[in-house]
Amino acid sequence: MPIVLPHLVVRVDANDQISVTLDGARVTGEPIGRHALGGLIEEVLRRRKVPLRVEIIEHDGTTYTDVLTPPAPIAAPAAAPETEASARRGEMPVLYEATGDGYVPGEDVALAVVIRHSSADGHGHVRHLIEERELVTGGEVLLFGRISGTAHVVGDLG
């Protein structure tokens, strides 16, 4: 019986937006910025804990294929209690999107409760993907531009 690796397919459109599937199932609801690809692949590797066949198909038809291996596991404390997050580790994350405009191109934009930063694209647009487990009660997040002071409250995520 041949060994079959999980197959992550990344399709890049002419605007450098990507659509991602894993074994034929969509990973992202809508296309996301190419800058998010590394983190997305890392998250899939971390959750699946097995090597992954990655195929990137550029908009001009050029295809790149590689097999990536997950990072070494981080040693857990001896008697760590099981949490909801640890019980779901084998599942694919449920992602939500928070977007906003009016930022200075290239500025860092915070997502509050501040769990990460990303940079605005060349048009001053930023896009974050948020896992369901990262949302606080109420499902509302804040996007805050560190240079411009532009702030957006995005609700109804959960």
Side-chain angles (χ1 to χ4, degrees):
M1 175 183 244
I3 297 174
V4 178
L5 298 175
H7 187 201
L8 188 81
V9 177
V10 178
R11 296 186 187 281
V12 183
D13 69 18
N15 296 320
D16 263 356
Q17 297 290 300
I18 60 173
S19 298
V20 183
T21 59
L22 179 62
D23 293 332
R26 292 183 64 98
V27 174
T28 56
E30 297 178 9
I32 61 174
R34 187 179 198 134
H35 65 279
L37 180 59
L40 187 112
I41 291 174
E42 182 179 328
E43 181 67 16
V44 172
L45 282 167
R46 188 179 65 75
R47 288 183 176 276
R48 294 299 288 260
K49 300 177 186 170
V50 295
L52 180 69
R53 180 175 174 227
V54 178
E55 185 175 1
I56 299 175
I57 304 168
E58 298 288 345
H59 72 277
D60 67 359
T62 305
T63 302
Y64 302 94
T65 304
D66 202 351
V67 174
L68 302 177
T69 56
I74 299 170
E82 184 171 299
T83 64
E84 180 184 354
S86 67
R88 298 186 321 170
R89 275 192 197 131
E91 299 174 15
M92 287 300 299
V94 176
L95 301 176
Y96 297 91
E97 178 182 48
T99 64
D101 289 306
Y103 299 98
V104 174
E107 85 173 291
D108 280 344
V109 178
L111 173 68
V113 174
V114 180
I115 56 175
R116 75 176 57 88
H117 287 85
S118 65
S119 297
D121 67 16
H123 301 286
H125 180 82
V126 68
R127 180 177 182 177
H128 284 274
L129 293 175
I130 303 110
E131 285 188 46
E132 179 179 43
R133 67 179 175 84
E134 295 172 321
L135 293 175
V136 295
T137 304
E140 191 171 76
V141 297
L142 170 71
L143 299 177
F144 180 75
R146 296 290 184 154
I147 297 170
S148 66
T150 301
H152 292 281
V153 176
V154 181
D156 299 326
L157 296 177

